[in-house]
Amino acid sequence: MARIRLEGVSKQFGTAQVVREVDLDIADGEFMVLLGPSGCGKSTLLRLIAGLESPSSGRILLGENDITRTPPRQRDVAMVFQSYALYPHLTVAKNIGFPLRARRRSKDEIRERITTVASALGLQDHLDRRPAQLSGGQRQRVALARAMVRDPGAFLMDEPLSNLDAALRSATRTELIDLHHRLRSTFLYVTHDQVEAMTMATRIALLNNGTIEQVGTPTELYDTPRSTFVAAFLGAPPMNLFDATVIERAGKLHLVADCVDAPLGLFAGSAIGPQKVTAGIRPERIRLNGTDVQLRGVVTASENLGSEEILHVTVGGTVIRVRAPRPVAAQVGDAAALSVSPEDIQLFDSGTGRRLVWHVPHEHGASPRDASLSVA
Ligand SMILES: Nc1ncnc2c1ncn2[C@@H]1O[C@H](COP(=O)(O)OP(=O)(O)OP(=O)(O)O)[C@@H](O)[C@H]1O
Ligand SMILES: [Mg+2]
């Protein structure tokens, strides 16, 4: 069993609180990605699970065992570092076999495991080389092989692809997904690259300043972000966020801001007065020059990505980014009339940034007119 559970885990370095009361439950066999900006505590969290740091408070469980105070070597986890951390003076075979030699396994067993793991990762022809004679991608595979050789319950990987070039990164991503399918062990993978997270994770835990903002499938985080932080972290370009007000007009709710007037597709409840919100719309959900117009602005810049174009449209005081297929019938300086469907408008609390949801009561006698907004 390699379920990993963190219960109220905190870590302080001096006066700096780096990890704050983190609860996380990683299922056996899951590919969990820890995502977040630089300095948010990802590596520290991984090192706490590996036993390279010990928590200031809280518990860490592996399967049913409390491993909070277990020495690193006795934890059934293997760590792969960004820097590979290979021994330069040892051959590939010796590097891969190192964890088994350290555990005094028999020579025969070590030789057999090295052969198995090396061929699983396509390293069988490089066993006599030293790390300096390998490419970055091959070194990364040796580091993986060294982690695999003990057949650990869980793999902890800290930005393992960040030293590779774009093409190799993409290829290795696919290899890692495939490896996860074959091994069926638990993967906990740290990255600040959202493409890695979206493509590899069964679930993502998004970390912000030592706390977990949201845990869920890539689709959940992308489509229903729990906060403006999550909304702004995922997507390239990220979700457009702007200040707006929800008002009632002729019994229906609208989102209004400078040069913005968009129906929300809901009847107004009697209790709703004007309410300040932060509105969010994904760039790919905005249509250029549609029939109904909800946002009016001027094209102030455009980025040609080859397959599509990102238009910067200044609407009132805000720049709204629109992702449009090429060729785009708009140039810098043109007026832009933008359309958005009610279901593509997301609302967040303007103070806390928390997602707002509509509650439409279904009790006896209630009507959709009683819809109200509250924090998700
Ligand atoms: N041993 C340490 N002593 C003091 N502060 C530390 C120590 N290790 C990490 N920190 C601090 O803790 C914070 C979180 O660091 P951590 O390495 O976990 O971030 P990260 O999310 O992995 O960032 P990155 O994406 O840049 O790798 C940082 O502010 C860092 O400076
Ligand atoms: Mg790190």
Side-chain angles (χ1 to χ4, degrees):
M1 255 305 268
R3 175 182 177 192
I4 302 170
R5 272 176 294 172
L6 305 181
E7 294 178 353
V9 170
S10 296
K11 178 66 181 173
Q12 235 165 303
F13 289 115
T15 55
Q17 182 97 20
V18 171
V19 174
R20 301 160 198 259
E21 295 276 324
V22 165
D23 292 314
L24 187 61
D25 191 344
I26 305 161
D28 185 29
E30 190 162 21
F31 196 137
M32 172 73 84
V33 170
L34 271 180
L35 180 67
S38 189
C40 70
K42 305 180 296 294
S43 296
T44 304
L45 209 53
L46 212 61
R47 292 169 61 81
L48 286 165
I49 299 169
L52 303 173
E53 302 282 357
S54 64
S56 311
S57 59
R59 295 205 308 160
I60 301 170
L61 292 96
L62 188 68
E64 292 310 313
N65 303 322
D66 185 333
I67 58 162
T68 316
R69 305 283 159 218
T70 308
R73 188 161 285 191
Q74 286 162 30
R75 300 185 183 198
D76 186 23
V77 298
M79 187 135 165
V80 182
F81 299 90
Q82 169 182 1
S83 58
Y84 317 138
L86 300 177
Y87 300 104
H89 58 289
L90 297 182
T91 61
V92 167
K94 288 241 158 78
N95 264 288
I96 297 175
F98 190 86
L100 298 181
R101 277 202 308 284
R103 284 168 181 75
R104 305 195 182 287
R105 301 290 175 76
S106 76
K107 278 212 166 82
D108 285 347
E109 185 194 343
I110 295 175
R111 200 175 310 120
E112 192 192 314
R113 283 297 296 160
I114 291 173
T115 310
T116 308
V117 171
S119 59
L121 291 175
L123 290 167
Q124 63 275 29
D125 298 333
H126 308 313
L127 287 172
D128 296 327
R129 295 201 198 170
R130 288 181 207 284
Q133 300 166 308
L134 299 174
S135 72
Q138 290 164 339
R139 278 179 221 172
Q140 188 52 54
R141 267 185 267 161
V142 177
L144 256 177
R146 186 178 54 186
M148 278 167 65
V149 77
R150 290 197 286 125
D151 197 14
F155 289 88
L156 309 175
M157 306 190 190
D158 196 352
E159 312 227 21
L161 308 187
S162 56
N163 288 335
L164 307 181
D165 66 36
L168 198 53
R169 236 174 139 143
S170 165
T172 316
R173 233 163 42 211
T174 315
E175 278 176 20
L176 275 178
I177 296 170
D178 180 54
L179 188 68
H180 177 248
H181 280 304
R182 277 187 283 149
L183 297 176
R184 296 180 180 284
S185 32
T186 311
F187 279 34
L188 181 56
Y189 185 101
V190 163
T191 183
H192 59 260
D193 179 339
Q194 54 164 313
V195 176
E196 284 181 18
M198 293 295 291
T199 53
M200 296 197 292
T202 51
R203 285 195 302 157
I204 297 173
L206 183 54
L207 220 61
N208 175 20
N209 195 16
T211 59
I212 291 185
E213 281 275 331
Q214 188 169 0
V215 185
T217 63
T219 310
E220 282 165 354
L221 266 71
Y222 192 84
D223 290 347
T224 50
R226 271 185 53 198
S227 64
T228 48
F229 179 86
V230 181
F233 196 83
L234 293 177
M239 188 181 280
N240 293 295
L241 294 166
F242 54 95
D243 293 335
T245 309
V246 174
I247 60 149
E248 182 203 325
R249 192 187 299 134
K252 289 185 176 164
L253 295 176
H254 291 255
L255 181 81
V256 295
D258 194 8
C259 301
V260 177
D261 195 330
L264 289 169
L266 285 164
F267 291 100
S270 49
I272 294 188
Q275 191 168 338
K276 291 212 175 302
V277 294
T278 299
I281 311 173
R282 291 257 174 229
E284 66 274 20
R285 295 291 176 175
I286 302 175
R287 295 178 303 280
L288 202 59
N289 303 325
T291 41
D292 304 339
V293 177
Q294 285 87 36
L295 300 91
R296 290 183 187 281
V298 175
V299 179
T300 42
S302 93
E303 300 168 59
N304 182 354
L305 302 184
S307 58
E308 52 201 354
E309 205 156 323
I310 311 294
L311 290 182
H312 297 215
V313 180
T314 301
V315 175
T318 348
V319 175
I320 300 289
R321 286 193 269 196
V322 181
R323 182 184 277 272
R326 287 182 62 220
V328 176
Q331 291 177 349
V332 172
D334 287 356
L338 309 178
S339 305
V340 60
S341 304
E343 66 272 17
D344 291 328
I345 300 174
Q346 313 207 18
L347 300 178
F348 302 91
D349 186 289
S350 56
T352 62
R354 292 281 139 194
R355 180 184 194 78
L356 296 170
V357 290
W358 293 102
H359 290 289
V360 182
H362 295 290
E363 302 110 55
H364 178 70
S367 78
R369 290 186 159 272
D370 298 318
S372 64
L373 260 182
S374 67
V375 174

